[in-house]
Amino acid sequence: MNKGQKFSVWFFLGALVATWLFSEYIYKPYAERQGEVSYSEFLEDLDKNIIENVDISETRITYALKEGAASPDKRPIIGGVIFSNKKTKPQGNIKSVVRLDDPDLIMKLSNSDIKFGGIAQRDTILDLLMGILLPLLPLLILWYFMFRNISGAGGGGGIGGIFSFGRSRAKELQGELTGVHFSDIGGAGEAEVELREIIDFLKDPKRFDKFGAKLPRGVLLVGPPGTGKTLLAKATAGEAGVPFFFITGSSFVEMFVGVGAARVRDLFDQAKKKAPCIIFMDEIDAIGQSRMNVYNGNSEQENTLNQLLAEMDGFEENDGIVIMGATNRPEILDQALMRPGRFDRQIQVVLPTEEGREEILKIHTKKVPLAQEVNLREIAKVTPGFSGADLANIANEAALLAARRKADSVSTNDFDLAIERVVAGLQRKTPLTPEIRKKVAYHETGHALVACYLPGSDPVHKVSIIPTTKGALGYTMQMPTEDQYLVTENELKTRMAVMLGGRAAELLVFDEPTTGASNDLERATETARRMVIEFGMSKKLGPVRYAAPTMMYLGGAVQIREDAGEATAEKIDAEIKRLVTEAQEQASNILKEHEKVLHEVAETLQKKEVINSDEIQAIVNKEKRSEE
Ligand code: ATP
């Protein structure tokens, strides 16, 4: 039995004894006093022959009046059970009197038709159970469900849930059973090389001992969501053939003080018994958040973190335990967690390159029958910025589409639709009214044409005016041609002009803006804001960073640093406005220049609902030829 368990059992037993003492010595005497009468009244009732039965104990006499002879029962009731002897009638008026030394009483009772008997203070175990446990039953049931909820589904669904309070919820899997190997992971070249060293160590820790070499105790995997961090940790355990303990940071965080720390202790106790092994903590930022960042000092989180730090220091270097952590937010982690001897090695798990994406697609289509014409490299080409999880999702969606078509194999078109689904959401069936369709068609054509005419923008892949489940009334899909590691100022301006192409078209054709551009405006403003405060791309403000620290991998709006003055904030706003306005003017000029193409593409779009890049290009080329 571990510490956590002992704590819970004692807590449970203590509560039970306290409740029993309370009921026996405080509540019961109180309840009995409620119906108490004087001995003379008892004798009077006896003479009037209105008593139905009498129970005599060593100190008290309890009696019940015949029906109709009594006022309503005033005794309190707890948990549905009246606090009196089981032999008395559960209803009617019960009275109680202190027993006096009255030798004639038994004679009197014998001569009447009253049923009477004696009761021992506690005669049977059943009495004890009925008297104590039964009133407590509703309370116990409530308690059980409360505990089960708190310890969560992972805490064990049965009665064990009550006792597993302080136990860690690390699911222990044998390394071999993770069944994951590096061959199941695509595009993880660099991370794999670094992890190989850990695997060698886990396979034969003594070899490292001989050289006095100390291996990193903790390895932190950092990178955007869905890039395969969990998968890499599992593969490390799988390759080394050691047990793998998996736990998420958030499951340490409980509402009860001390539980998180107890769980950390328990996790390490378990792991020490199974060494060599890997402990993997996903979302480690949930407990490893910098103590400086925690508003008002969340002492529970701090206790848990302190316990983790202590445990990481507590085992010997070559004990054979490797702790792996994963996070999308390395910037908020406590520095103490990163110092040598703890998570001293960081491995960046980045978004896959084109080659990596092809490998990932190959892995996820291993069991999928692909049509001859499917070229995974081509799919990898049009999916820059997609994570491993996105690609796995695309492979699955494509297979689902093929299955729904009742086809024998998955075609290129299934993959195209799957990509669209992931990017834009499912198509919605509700048709738009002709006026709205027209507005949406011009709006989307606006985006597409600005992208076509502005050099350096990502090529347009498809334009659609079928509403999607993600809330868009239409969408223009652009596909970058290569992975972008660096973006220039001009490219950012081009992107903004494309974003504002929709609004520019609305103004040009209908002379009136619509709400359809709200998301475009949001994205354009955010781009401009980042140019000014994060990338130092405004001459007026200079090469100064005014942005507050951002989340490296999770995106989100960039905020201005709190210590920036009011005058600076005003300048920033003016610069953002200038950049966005210039981008809209640029878009507007392009559309004015090619207004004929705008009308023709928008009309085609209204007829066909979806047009691809070739169809747009054909109309653009036609205009070019007529001008020549
Ligand atoms: P998060 O940060 O959101 O926890 P993660 O980086 O831990 O994400 P995983 O949970 O490892 O990501 O990946 C989710 C799924 O995506 C995996 O189960 C796998 O199917 C797929 N996947 C991600 N990356 C790869 C990869 N490099 N190769 C093959 N499959 C991958």
Side-chain angles (χ1 to χ4, degrees):
M1 195 187 274
N2 63 44
K3 286 173 202 159
Q5 268 179 318
K6 273 184 202 155
F7 162 74
S8 298
V9 170
W10 287 120
F11 188 58
F12 176 77
L13 289 178
L16 206 66
V17 170
T19 319
W20 180 75
L21 287 174
F22 175 79
S23 101
E24 198 65 2
Y25 292 101
I26 299 177
Y27 187 77
K28 211 173 148 216
Y30 163 77
E32 280 173 346
R33 272 198 305 278
Q34 293 303 299
E36 193 161 291
V37 293
S38 65
Y39 202 76
S40 56
E41 192 178 324
F42 166 56
L43 292 179
E44 252 173 52
D45 288 344
L46 203 59
D47 289 342
K48 281 192 220 154
N49 199 19
I50 54 171
I51 296 182
E52 182 154 349
N53 63 28
V54 174
D55 288 323
I56 306 168
S57 81
E58 280 172 37
T59 53
R60 303 192 77 83
I61 296 170
T62 313
Y63 64 100
L65 297 184
K66 285 178 182 166
E67 254 169 67
S71 55
D73 187 1
K74 288 193 200 99
R75 287 166 313 141
I77 294 174
I78 285 190
V81 173
I82 299 169
F83 264 80
S84 71
N85 187 274
K86 69 180 163 59
K87 288 164 202 153
T88 50
K89 273 186 94 175
Q91 72 269 75
N93 197 354
I94 311 289
K95 290 185 177 179
S96 159
V97 60
V98 175
R99 184 177 167 187
L100 299 182
D101 189 14
D102 182 354
D104 297 339
L105 180 64
I106 303 298
M107 270 310 270
K108 274 188 203 161
L109 289 171
S110 305
N111 291 339
S112 68
D113 59 350
I114 300 170
K115 284 181 229 138
F116 69 96
I119 46 167
Q121 280 316 85
R122 274 274 162 248
D123 42 6
T124 60
I125 298 240
L126 199 68
D127 265 356
L128 188 82
L129 287 178
M130 296 301 276
I132 298 169
L133 283 186
L134 217 61
L136 282 181
L137 202 62
L139 205 73
L140 285 175
I141 292 173
L142 197 80
W143 206 46
Y144 168 68
F145 280 108
M146 213 174 86
F147 271 49
R148 209 170 70 145
N149 281 350
I150 291 165
S151 34
I159 292 287
I162 296 181
F163 300 109
S164 64
F165 225 165
R167 298 191 69 181
S168 82
R169 271 180 263 142
K171 267 183 261 153
E172 188 209 319
L173 306 163
Q174 292 298 320
E176 294 83 1
L177 296 185
T178 63
V180 182
H181 292 273
F182 281 128
S183 55
D184 300 316
I185 306 180
E190 284 170 35
E192 185 182 329
V193 173
E194 293 208 47
L195 289 171
R196 286 264 169 220
E197 200 181 322
I198 308 278
I199 293 168
D200 289 344
F201 162 68
L202 285 168
K203 275 187 175 160
D204 189 5
K206 291 207 178 73
R207 204 175 85 205
F208 288 79
D209 256 355
K210 220 165 59 186
F211 293 97
K214 289 177 184 165
L215 254 121
R217 255 181 246 197
V219 179
L220 192 63
L221 302 171
V222 283
T227 41
K229 297 184 287 296
T230 312
L231 215 54
L232 276 169
K234 280 189 182 167
T236 310
E239 295 276 341
V242 297
F244 179 74
F245 293 83
F246 176 91
I247 188 145
T248 56
S250 54
S251 62
F252 284 117
V253 186
E254 289 283 357
M255 59 195 276
F256 288 105
V257 177
V259 173
R263 286 211 172 120
V264 172
R265 218 174 319 151
D266 183 54
L267 171 67
F268 278 81
D269 283 349
Q270 280 186 47
K272 274 179 207 158
K273 284 183 211 143
K274 294 274 179 152
C277 65
I278 288 182
I279 297 178
F280 177 65
M281 294 187 189
D282 207 356
E283 306 165 28
I284 195 156
D285 42 282
I287 41 169
Q289 205 178 123
S290 167
R291 284 164 284 193
M292 306 273 290
N293 276 353
V294 182
Y295 177 67
N296 242 347
N298 175 348
S299 61
E300 172 55 1
Q301 189 240 316
E302 200 171 319
N303 285 346
T304 311
L305 174 59
N306 286 339
Q307 186 65 38
L308 176 64
L309 298 177
E311 292 289 347
M312 286 184 87
D313 287 339
F315 59 86
E316 297 298 320
E317 270 89 9
N318 290 3
D319 260 358
I321 301 178
V322 170
I323 304 164
M324 297 182 78
T327 180
N328 307 316
R329 306 190 60 195
E331 67 278 357
I332 63 159
L333 290 184
D334 199 294
Q335 281 310 311
L337 207 54
M338 320 287 254
R339 78 150 173 75
R342 289 168 187 157
F343 285 105
D344 38 14
R345 194 168 287 194
Q346 270 202 29
I347 299 181
Q348 303 284 335
V349 187
V350 292
L351 287 170
T353 57
E354 188 177 314
E355 205 175 314
R357 291 195 296 275
E358 186 186 358
E359 277 175 32
I360 296 172
L361 284 168
K362 264 190 198 146
I363 290 166
H364 287 283
T365 51
K366 231 187 256 165
K367 290 185 192 144
V368 180
L370 296 180
Q372 281 256 309
E373 95 272 0
V374 172
N375 183 341
L376 294 180
R377 185 67 177 208
E378 286 303 315
I379 300 168
K381 255 190 197 135
V382 295
T383 46
F386 281 52
S387 66
D390 290 332
L391 295 168
N393 191 9
I394 285 173
N396 186 48
E397 284 284 344
L400 283 177
L401 285 167
R404 211 166 299 153
R405 283 193 300 123
K406 298 201 173 85
D408 297 331
S409 57
V410 183
S411 68
T412 307
N413 191 42
D414 292 326
F415 275 101
D416 276 351
L417 288 175
I419 294 172
E420 255 183 81
R421 245 182 213 196
V422 171
V423 175
L426 279 174
Q427 291 181 351
R428 245 180 21 199
K429 292 276 176 273
T430 28
L432 301 176
T433 62
E435 297 101 277
I436 295 179
R437 264 166 73 98
K438 190 172 175 187
K439 289 208 160 116
V440 176
Y442 273 99
H443 181 102
E444 296 306 331
T445 310
H447 288 304
L449 289 191
V450 176
C452 274
Y453 287 108
L454 260 186
S457 64
D458 296 330
V460 174
H461 182 69
K462 191 181 255 185
V463 186
S464 158
I465 53 166
I466 303 174
T468 72
T469 46
K470 285 195 180 168
L473 294 179
Y475 57 90
T476 304
M477 258 172 88
Q478 287 174 274
M479 286 294 180
T481 40
E482 56 189 39
D483 297 317
Q484 271 186 319
Y485 301 105
L486 265 186
V487 188
T488 66
E489 183 178 346
N490 233 347
E491 280 164 343
L492 288 174
K493 284 184 173 170
T494 303
R495 280 186 199 172
M496 282 166 59
V498 175
M499 289 172 201
L500 293 163
R503 166 56 60 88
E506 286 168 11
L507 289 176
L508 185 68
V509 180
F510 306 105
D511 203 17
E512 186 188 35
T514 71
T515 53
S518 94
N519 180 255
D520 303 331
L521 297 184
E522 187 183 330
R523 284 164 54 226
T525 312
E526 185 59 22
T527 308
R529 178 203 277 271
R530 293 188 71 179
M531 285 172 74
V532 177
I533 66 172
E534 198 180 349
F535 309 134
M537 289 177 177
S538 151
K539 286 206 179 73
K540 278 223 171 100
L541 285 145
V544 179
R545 185 183 160 112
Y546 289 104
T550 48
M551 291 191 273
M552 265 161 89
Y553 297 113
L554 297 183
V558 188
Q559 304 295 333
I560 299 177
R561 242 175 34 206
E562 272 174 23
D563 56 356
E566 220 167 275
T568 314
E570 269 172 28
K571 267 197 228 167
I572 290 172
D573 282 341
E575 280 297 272
I576 294 173
K577 189 173 170 197
R578 178 184 64 81
L579 284 168
V580 179
T581 315
E582 279 175 14
Q584 182 164 320
E585 276 164 14
Q586 190 179 19
S588 190
N589 291 340
I590 291 171
L591 296 180
K592 267 185 208 150
E593 198 182 322
H594 304 282
E595 202 171 336
K596 248 175 76 188
V597 182
L598 176 68
H599 290 301
E600 193 166 344
V601 175
E603 266 153 35
T604 317
L605 190 54
Q606 285 174 74
K607 267 187 233 134
K608 299 179 75 170
E609 289 196 323
V610 181
I611 50 176
N612 60 29
S613 57
D614 293 342
E615 289 163 285
I616 301 175
Q617 206 54 50
I619 302 172
V620 170
N621 290 345
K622 201 170 76 183
E623 185 208 39
K624 254 193 210 155
R625 275 196 302 274
S626 69
E627 278 174 2
E628 280 163 5

